[in-house]
Structures are given as C-alpha cells and as structure tokens.
Amino acid sequence: MSEIVARRCRRAGGTEDGLLALITLRAALDAARAGSYGVGAFNVTDLAQAEAVLDAAASTDSPVIVQTIAGASVHGRDELFWQALVGLIGNYPDVPVVLHLDHGASYDDCVRAIGAGFTSVMIDGSMRDHVTPATFEENVEVTRRVVEYAHARGVSVEGELGTIGGSEDGGASSKAIILADPDEAERFVAQTGVDALAVAIGTSHGAYKFTSPPDGTVLRMDLIEEIASRIPDTHLVMHGSSSLPADLRETINAHGGRLPESWGVPETEKARSTKLGIRKINQGMDSHMAHSAAVRTYLDADGIGVDPALYGKPGREAMQRIVADRMQVFGQAGQSYRHR
Ligand code: 13P
C-alpha cells in the first residue's frame, strides 16, 4: 500500500466524505510485474464509459487503469469531466484505480491533469506536431520536465519512444510508424526517469490497423523482449492494442456503419505480450466499437427512440462486457488483492 495516494473526496450524490484510494501507475505495474500479468488501460470519453470500466473491474476483482485524452471527451471542459471522474472513482473504494492522462500533448496538459487529481500522466514527446516527429533531444527535454514535476507530487509518468501509427483519439488523421530503438530506449530512460515507456512495435491507433492478420514482420513482438531486458525497472506499454473484432464491425455495418475490413492485435498476442514484458495494454477502439454496435442496434430496432438514457444504457453495458472479457485475457482479473 506504500504508493497509494489517499485523498479525501466527497462521494458523488452523498454528503459524507469517503476515502478515495487511487494508486499510481508505478504501484499498479510493479504489482503486475510481480504477478506476471498485464493491466488494461481503457480509454473513456464520458462518465458512463468510466462507470462501465469501473463496474468491469469491480465484477472481476481487477486493478484497472482508467485513461482519457485532454480534449477528447463528449464534455465541454476537461476540468469538469476530470473532476467528475475523480468523484466517480470515489464510489469504488475496493477497486485499485490508476487515473491516467493518455497522450498528454504538452507539459501544461500534464500539469492540469495532476492538479485535477490524476495519479499518472503520459507525456507524448514523440511528435513536434501532428506530422513531424520530434528529435530524441526534444523528446527527452519535455519528458524530463514532466517527470520532475510529477514525481515531486507522487505521480507516475509514461513517455513514448518511436511513433505509434494512426490517430490517438480514433479520428481520421494518421501518422507513420517509426519503430522504437532499443539503444535509444535505454538512453531515454536514463535521461528522463520515466516509470513506463510506450514502445512502437508496429501497432497503430484507431479502427484501421493491419490490412491482413498481422505476422511477426509487422507486429514486432521480438522488440518487446529486447527492450525489456535493457530497461528492467521501466514498464513497457503497448498502444494501439485493440483487436477490432470482426463481429462488432459487421454489427456496426449492418446498422448503417461503413467500417472497412481491418485487423487488430490478436488477443493471443496481447496475452503473450504480458509474458514478454508488456505491463500496460492500451485499449480504446474495441470498447468504442462494442459501445457503438449496441447503440446502433438499439436505435435501428426502435425507430422512434431518441432518448440518450435509453440508447446509452445498452452502449455502457456492452462496453462493460468487453472490458471484463479483456481483463481475463490480460491476466489482471482476480489481482486486486495485491493492493490491499
Ligand atoms: P486502440 O486505438 O487500438 O484502441 O489503442 C488505444 C490507445 O493506444 C490509446 O493510447
């Protein structure tokens, strides 16, 4: 329990103060390494999705990472959403939760998230802007500053090396993949002190990944083992880990969607990655596909349904189911006792 960040918080809807037990990313991933499992980091873009992730964790007795990207939610203001997230988590005192900023685009974004109560931030210094990769030195500089600020406040930091393809928030923009270099990974960690490192091993974000089932030439699982052996005290993160289930794509397309055929990271490879050294597995698109498929199915069946409370509910429930399934695959199910 040494790295638990205990904060007093007001339970949502209640009057009494409760003890909010958020844990740091470092604590979650150290425990995962001891138990040789991975922890899913599930992207949420509204409060109901966060509830789905937390309910999935509660029902499977899992530690969990709830993550969100600045500016990428249905809410009008980050601070409003983030404050609500902290309040929501206060209702799950038995679930070890890391609240993580995904793809912090700047030092200031990380400072804002830490101020809001996040226990972990990612500073993505890999790109200078949306098209130009940053130099190694530029990446080190901004990451080092964030580590200094975050560690002084008991917050963990994830950095990124190489460039993961696609678009982080599932949007249409896309960037090329530059694989992580093991020598650079070693130097990057020595110069920044990050707790976790996102390594580009051929995956990409979003709903368009591989044009055929990925083999070892496109999905470089061998890089994981090599990098893990060079930086044994730093936890490796796999981004772009969604599997893009064909049945969900078919359901979405049967109800008005137009998703092209695409393959993601097979579940067997994600499970295998946790034995090679991956500790944090980022998943956004699978949850979003499950959510959208359920919402589209509901709306198609009920031609006069317009109430978000009615169509949002099956979306939340579908997301909870797929997240709970993934928790079994990643091995985090049944592991929350490690944080008590
Ligand atoms: P997917 O787009 O494959 O779900 O990955 C999400 C992610 O890596 C967020 O950082």
Side-chain angles (χ1 to χ4, degrees), residues 142-322:
V142 65
T143 306
R144 201 188 44 69
R145 282 178 63 218
V146 171
V147 169
E148 202 174 283
Y149 184 87
H151 281 184
R153 289 157 181 82
V155 170
S156 304
V157 180
E158 174 185 337
E160 175 170 326
L161 203 56
T163 307
I164 294 149
S167 159
E168 292 87 9
D169 57 7
S173 70
S174 189
K175 54 191 183 189
I177 297 171
I178 302 171
L179 294 177
D181 175 290
D183 287 335
E184 280 195 348
E186 208 173 332
R187 284 194 288 130
F188 187 78
V189 166
Q191 292 176 31
T192 59
V194 288
D195 302 280
L197 185 63
V199 284
I201 56 162
T203 61
S204 45
H205 295 103
Y208 320 105
K209 300 190 191 296
F210 307 113
T211 50
S212 58
D215 60 19
T217 59
V218 288
L219 191 56
R220 293 286 307 280
M221 303 292 280
D222 55 309
L223 269 180
I224 300 170
E225 248 179 324
E226 191 180 345
I227 296 175
S229 70
R230 303 275 197 101
I231 47 171
D233 194 38
T234 306
H235 298 293
L236 300 189
V237 183
M238 180 150 76
H239 280 241
S241 311
S242 281
S243 305
L244 309 183
D247 60 326
L248 292 179
R249 184 176 61 246
E250 280 155 21
T251 304
I252 289 169
N253 288 350
H255 297 291
R258 287 185 298 280
L259 285 179
E261 192 165 50
S262 185
W263 281 264
V265 182
E267 297 205 37
T268 47
E269 289 301 284
K270 282 184 273 195
R272 191 163 77 88
S273 77
T274 66
K275 305 302 167 201
L276 301 175
I278 293 289
R279 291 287 152 246
K280 175 173 180 272
I281 304 175
N282 280 22
Q283 175 190 294
M285 202 44 66
D286 282 357
S287 312
H288 296 154
M289 284 175 74
H291 188 282
S292 300
V295 172
R296 280 181 184 271
T297 303
Y298 180 94
L299 287 175
D300 217 5
D302 179 357
I304 56 167
V306 292
D307 182 350
L310 295 180
Y311 64 74
K313 194 171 171 203
R316 175 177 56 73
E317 289 168 347
M319 183 161 164
Q320 181 182 335
R321 281 193 296 277
I322 196 168

Side-chain angles (χ1 to χ4, degrees), residues 85-104:
L85 276 177
V86 172
L88 177 71
I89 293 168
N91 286 275
Y92 295 81
D94 296 329
V95 179
V97 184
V98 179
L99 182 57
H100 175 80
L101 179 74
D102 189 24
H103 287 284

Side-chain angles (χ1 to χ4, degrees), residues 92-157:
Y92 295 81
D94 296 329
V95 179
V97 184
V98 179
L99 182 57
H100 175 80
L101 179 74
D102 189 24
H103 287 284
S106 66
Y107 176 85
D108 289 347
D109 273 356
C110 295
V111 169
R112 279 200 301 134
I114 292 167
F118 284 50
T119 53
S120 178
V121 292
M122 174 184 188
I123 173 69
D124 181 354
S126 65
M127 300 293 287
R128 193 177 290 163
D129 49 48
H130 277 293
V131 278
T132 326
T135 65
F136 179 81
E137 291 71 25
E138 286 167 342
N139 192 352
V140 165
E141 170 58 17
V142 65
T143 306
R144 201 188 44 69
R145 282 178 63 218
V146 171
V147 169
E148 202 174 283
Y149 184 87
H151 281 184
R153 289 157 181 82
V155 170
S156 304
V157 180

